[in-house]
Amino acid sequence: LLSENYMRLGKKDLISLNVWLQRTERQIPLAIYETALTQQDDDVMRLTSEWGHSFSKSQLKVRGAWFIENQDFNNFTQDSSYFNNSETFIGEAEYSIQVAKNHKVDVGFNATSNLADVQSYSSEGIWQHRQAAFAGYHWKILEPLQFSAMLRQEFVDGDDVPFTYTFGMNWDVIWGISLKGQFSKVYRTPTLNDKYWNPGGNPNLKAEDGYAQEISLVWENERKNLNWNVTLTGFNRNISNWIIWQPKAGIWSPQNLLDVWSRGWETRSFVKWEKNKFSARLSALGNYTISTNEESLRPNDATVGKQLIYTPIYNGTAGLDLRYSRFSLSYTHSYTGYTYTASDHSSSLEPYQLGNLNFNYRHHWKKFGGNLFFKINNIWNESYQVVRNRPMPGINYNLGVNLNLKFKNQK
């Protein structure tokens, strides 16, 4: 159940309230070596709100959120259960001002509190309190050249963490071609899930710390009936104490890797043609990612220099989307290359390809609307695994209806 509500108070104020309720009951697919009957129930409630006020040259936004997530995992054969319940409270205020024609400044503050109800670690629950002050500066140096800077200082449970920042440039070169780049200092504190997930959490995790760089070449154009975008991005990340979840004695648990070097390329592109009520969109995405463990405390460690587990070097997706009036038909095809499942590369998963077909019909009345959809997943009935020894479903189907109610306040 999803409810989105908006109310405008005059010309300068807008209030929103969004509610998302979801319950999922599912049987967990068995591993090849398992005979147990297992089920997982998830209950999710997410409540968000925002108030926005516009001034002559500035804007103020105040946001709040409350999330509740409860997970109940039961192994009926072994008569065992695991519970993971959490709550999150978020408050944030952000102020943006156009200080001059080509200069814009953003400042803000965020306070987030997380509560994990994990009986195996504490009968009263475990809290994590995070506060952050952030600021941004945007400068249009020349018409085709822009510069941006984002600064952030965070505090976790009263302790300050390393100062982080991102500097970026955007240069509109010529004929729809632009060049973008950014340099970042990154720092990530382990989440409560990382530290206290039941089973498998690791309370001794260290925070990730490092640097990241990215550069993109973009070619885009828009004409009367035709528009396209082609983006090529190269990235590089050097992270200390990289957090990675690994299987250990049949249970997944997060560990720190001393030094990880992640680099590669990503391509994103689409071309869209439309006329009257008909449109056709062809898209493609490809990734080439090398993520290697560069250092170890153990001598002659066979994992040094090897690709991280469950990180395929090659993967990509291509799709075709056709629309006419209220009808749409789309097909997506994906490829995932070899995926190593052991840190020393002694075992791996075979590459696989998947095809998904989606048909959709939408209709709108004055205050009521919705859509009917039918999906065929894994249409070629591919036999594959995403996690070792856990086969994924063959061809399967989804049939559903989405309903939307719209109410507009009258003045």
PDB file of all heavy atoms in Angstrom, residues 216-229:
ATOM      1  N   SER A 216      33.480  11.265 -16.827  1.00  0.00           N
ATOM      2  CA  SER A 216      32.444  10.833 -17.773  1.00  0.00           C
ATOM      3  C   SER A 216      32.487  11.687 -19.033  1.00  0.00           C
ATOM      4  O   SER A 216      32.689  12.910 -18.977  1.00  0.00           O
ATOM      5  CB  SER A 216      31.047  10.941 -17.148  1.00  0.00           C
ATOM      6  OG  SER A 216      30.918  10.112 -16.018  1.00  0.00           O
ATOM      7  N   LEU A 217      32.277  11.017 -20.158  1.00  0.00           N
ATOM      8  CA  LEU A 217      32.105  11.681 -21.442  1.00  0.00           C
ATOM      9  C   LEU A 217      30.671  11.446 -21.892  1.00  0.00           C
ATOM     10  O   LEU A 217      30.224  10.292 -21.987  1.00  0.00           O
ATOM     11  CB  LEU A 217      33.084  11.129 -22.474  1.00  0.00           C
ATOM     12  CG  LEU A 217      33.034  11.746 -23.873  1.00  0.00           C
ATOM     13  CD1 LEU A 217      33.420  13.232 -23.824  1.00  0.00           C
ATOM     14  CD2 LEU A 217      33.945  10.980 -24.828  1.00  0.00           C
ATOM     15  N   VAL A 218      29.931  12.508 -22.156  1.00  0.00           N
ATOM     16  CA  VAL A 218      28.502  12.410 -22.461  1.00  0.00           C
ATOM     17  C   VAL A 218      28.229  13.048 -23.814  1.00  0.00           C
ATOM     18  O   VAL A 218      28.709  14.144 -24.108  1.00  0.00           O
ATOM     19  CB  VAL A 218      27.653  13.111 -21.371  1.00  0.00           C
ATOM     20  CG1 VAL A 218      26.161  12.958 -21.676  1.00  0.00           C
ATOM     21  CG2 VAL A 218      27.969  12.551 -19.990  1.00  0.00           C
ATOM     22  N   TRP A 219      27.446  12.346 -24.617  1.00  0.00           N
ATOM     23  CA  TRP A 219      26.952  12.903 -25.877  1.00  0.00           C
ATOM     24  C   TRP A 219      25.436  12.767 -25.872  1.00  0.00           C
ATOM     25  O   TRP A 219      24.901  11.663 -25.821  1.00  0.00           O
ATOM     26  CB  TRP A 219      27.551  12.165 -27.070  1.00  0.00           C
ATOM     27  CG  TRP A 219      27.053  12.680 -28.403  1.00  0.00           C
ATOM     28  CD1 TRP A 219      26.802  13.976 -28.738  1.00  0.00           C
ATOM     29  CD2 TRP A 219      26.745  11.903 -29.560  1.00  0.00           C
ATOM     30  NE1 TRP A 219      26.362  14.071 -30.031  1.00  0.00           N
ATOM     31  CE2 TRP A 219      26.318  12.806 -30.566  1.00  0.00           C
ATOM     32  CE3 TRP A 219      26.796  10.535 -29.848  1.00  0.00           C
ATOM     33  CZ2 TRP A 219      25.939  12.382 -31.837  1.00  0.00           C
ATOM     34  CZ3 TRP A 219      26.425  10.108 -31.115  1.00  0.00           C
ATOM     35  CH2 TRP A 219      25.991  11.028 -32.095  1.00  0.00           C
ATOM     36  N   GLU A 220      24.746  13.889 -25.910  1.00  0.00           N
ATOM     37  CA  GLU A 220      23.295  13.868 -25.903  1.00  0.00           C
ATOM     38  C   GLU A 220      22.750  14.921 -26.851  1.00  0.00           C
ATOM     39  O   GLU A 220      23.376  15.959 -27.091  1.00  0.00           O
ATOM     40  CB  GLU A 220      22.751  14.086 -24.487  1.00  0.00           C
ATOM     41  CG  GLU A 220      23.206  15.352 -23.811  1.00  0.00           C
ATOM     42  CD  GLU A 220      22.727  15.441 -22.376  1.00  0.00           C
ATOM     43  OE1 GLU A 220      21.828  14.666 -22.001  1.00  0.00           O
ATOM     44  OE2 GLU A 220      23.249  16.282 -21.630  1.00  0.00           O
ATOM     45  N   ASN A 221      21.583  14.616 -27.383  1.00  0.00           N
ATOM     46  CA  ASN A 221      20.949  15.528 -28.325  1.00  0.00           C
ATOM     47  C   ASN A 221      19.455  15.288 -28.296  1.00  0.00           C
ATOM     48  O   ASN A 221      18.986  14.200 -27.975  1.00  0.00           O
ATOM     49  CB  ASN A 221      21.491  15.311 -29.739  1.00  0.00           C
ATOM     50  CG  ASN A 221      21.475  16.597 -30.550  1.00  0.00           C
ATOM     51  OD1 ASN A 221      20.578  17.414 -30.394  1.00  0.00           O
ATOM     52  ND2 ASN A 221      22.482  16.773 -31.400  1.00  0.00           N
ATOM     53  N   GLU A 222      18.711  16.298 -28.629  1.00  0.00           N
ATOM     54  CA  GLU A 222      17.252  16.192 -28.653  1.00  0.00           C
ATOM     55  C   GLU A 222      16.723  16.950 -29.860  1.00  0.00           C
ATOM     56  O   GLU A 222      16.979  18.145 -30.031  1.00  0.00           O
ATOM     57  CB  GLU A 222      16.655  16.749 -27.359  1.00  0.00           C
ATOM     58  CG  GLU A 222      15.149  16.579 -27.275  1.00  0.00           C
ATOM     59  CD  GLU A 222      14.590  16.947 -25.914  1.00  0.00           C
ATOM     60  OE1 GLU A 222      15.392  17.159 -24.985  1.00  0.00           O
ATOM     61  OE2 GLU A 222      13.355  17.016 -25.797  1.00  0.00           O
ATOM     62  N   ARG A 223      15.984  16.222 -30.707  1.00  0.00           N
ATOM     63  CA  ARG A 223      15.381  16.818 -31.884  1.00  0.00           C
ATOM     64  C   ARG A 223      13.862  16.683 -31.806  1.00  0.00           C
ATOM     65  O   ARG A 223      13.333  16.256 -30.781  1.00  0.00           O
ATOM     66  CB  ARG A 223      15.944  16.170 -33.144  1.00  0.00           C
ATOM     67  CG  ARG A 223      17.457  16.355 -33.277  1.00  0.00           C
ATOM     68  CD  ARG A 223      18.004  15.740 -34.537  1.00  0.00           C
ATOM     69  NE  ARG A 223      19.455  15.944 -34.638  1.00  0.00           N
ATOM     70  CZ  ARG A 223      20.198  15.509 -35.632  1.00  0.00           C
ATOM     71  NH1 ARG A 223      19.644  14.799 -36.635  1.00  0.00           N
ATOM     72  NH2 ARG A 223      21.502  15.735 -35.646  1.00  0.00           N
ATOM     73  N   LYS A 224      13.197  16.971 -32.878  1.00  0.00           N
ATOM     74  CA  LYS A 224      11.738  16.988 -32.850  1.00  0.00           C
ATOM     75  C   LYS A 224      11.169  15.639 -32.453  1.00  0.00           C
ATOM     76  O   LYS A 224      10.322  15.556 -31.561  1.00  0.00           O
ATOM     77  CB  LYS A 224      11.206  17.403 -34.217  1.00  0.00           C
ATOM     78  CG  LYS A 224       9.679  17.500 -34.262  1.00  0.00           C
ATOM     79  CD  LYS A 224       9.210  17.962 -35.623  1.00  0.00           C
ATOM     80  CE  LYS A 224       7.689  18.060 -35.650  1.00  0.00           C
ATOM     81  NZ  LYS A 224       7.182  18.481 -36.984  1.00  0.00           N
ATOM     82  N   ASN A 225      11.560  14.571 -33.089  1.00  0.00           N
ATOM     83  CA  ASN A 225      11.023  13.243 -32.803  1.00  0.00           C
ATOM     84  C   ASN A 225      12.082  12.264 -32.277  1.00  0.00           C
ATOM     85  O   ASN A 225      11.749  11.118 -31.979  1.00  0.00           O
ATOM     86  CB  ASN A 225      10.399  12.629 -34.057  1.00  0.00           C
ATOM     87  CG  ASN A 225       9.275  13.463 -34.623  1.00  0.00           C
ATOM     88  OD1 ASN A 225       9.395  14.051 -35.696  1.00  0.00           O
ATOM     89  ND2 ASN A 225       8.179  13.537 -33.883  1.00  0.00           N
ATOM     90  N   LEU A 226      13.322  12.725 -32.174  1.00  0.00           N
ATOM     91  CA  LEU A 226      14.405  11.812 -31.832  1.00  0.00           C
ATOM     92  C   LEU A 226      15.325  12.440 -30.799  1.00  0.00           C
ATOM     93  O   LEU A 226      15.716  13.596 -30.925  1.00  0.00           O
ATOM     94  CB  LEU A 226      15.204  11.468 -33.092  1.00  0.00           C
ATOM     95  CG  LEU A 226      16.346  10.457 -32.936  1.00  0.00           C
ATOM     96  CD1 LEU A 226      15.784   9.078 -32.628  1.00  0.00           C
ATOM     97  CD2 LEU A 226      17.191  10.422 -34.213  1.00  0.00           C
ATOM     98  N   ASN A 227      15.639  11.684 -29.753  1.00  0.00           N
ATOM     99  CA  ASN A 227      16.651  12.142 -28.793  1.00  0.00           C
ATOM    100  C   ASN A 227      17.468  10.948 -28.328  1.00  0.00           C
ATOM    101  O   ASN A 227      17.000   9.801 -28.341  1.00  0.00           O
ATOM    102  CB  ASN A 227      16.007  12.890 -27.618  1.00  0.00           C
ATOM    103  CG  ASN A 227      15.074  12.025 -26.794  1.00  0.00           C
ATOM    104  OD1 ASN A 227      15.510  11.325 -25.893  1.00  0.00           O
ATOM    105  ND2 ASN A 227      13.783  12.056 -27.093  1.00  0.00           N
ATOM    106  N   TRP A 228      18.712  11.224 -27.905  1.00  0.00           N
ATOM    107  CA  TRP A 228      19.602  10.143 -27.488  1.00  0.00           C
ATOM    108  C   TRP A 228      20.584  10.635 -26.439  1.00  0.00           C
ATOM    109  O   TRP A 228      20.793  11.839 -26.264  1.00  0.00           O
ATOM    110  CB  TRP A 228      20.355   9.556 -28.684  1.00  0.00           C
ATOM    111  CG  TRP A 228      21.321  10.495 -29.346  1.00  0.00           C
ATOM    112  CD1 TRP A 228      22.596  10.776 -28.944  1.00  0.00           C
ATOM    113  CD2 TRP A 228      21.079  11.284 -30.516  1.00  0.00           C
ATOM    114  NE1 TRP A 228      23.169  11.684 -29.797  1.00  0.00           N
ATOM    115  CE2 TRP A 228      22.269  12.007 -30.781  1.00  0.00           C
ATOM    116  CE3 TRP A 228      19.988  11.448 -31.375  1.00  0.00           C
ATOM    117  CZ2 TRP A 228      22.381  12.880 -31.843  1.00  0.00           C
ATOM    118  CZ3 TRP A 228      20.101  12.310 -32.443  1.00  0.00           C
ATOM    119  CH2 TRP A 228      21.290  13.012 -32.674  1.00  0.00           C
ATOM    120  N   ASN A 229      21.180   9.675 -25.740  1.00  0.00           N
ATOM    121  CA  ASN A 229      22.201   9.953 -24.744  1.00  0.00           C
ATOM    122  C   ASN A 229      23.175   8.788 -24.725  1.00  0.00           C
ATOM    123  O   ASN A 229      22.761   7.631 -24.623  1.00  0.00           O
ATOM    124  CB  ASN A 229      21.577  10.157 -23.363  1.00  0.00           C
ATOM    125  CG  ASN A 229      22.619  10.441 -22.277  1.00  0.00           C
ATOM    126  OD1 ASN A 229      23.417   9.593 -21.927  1.00  0.00           O
ATOM    127  ND2 ASN A 229      22.566  11.645 -21.742  1.00  0.00           N
TER     128      ASN A 229
END
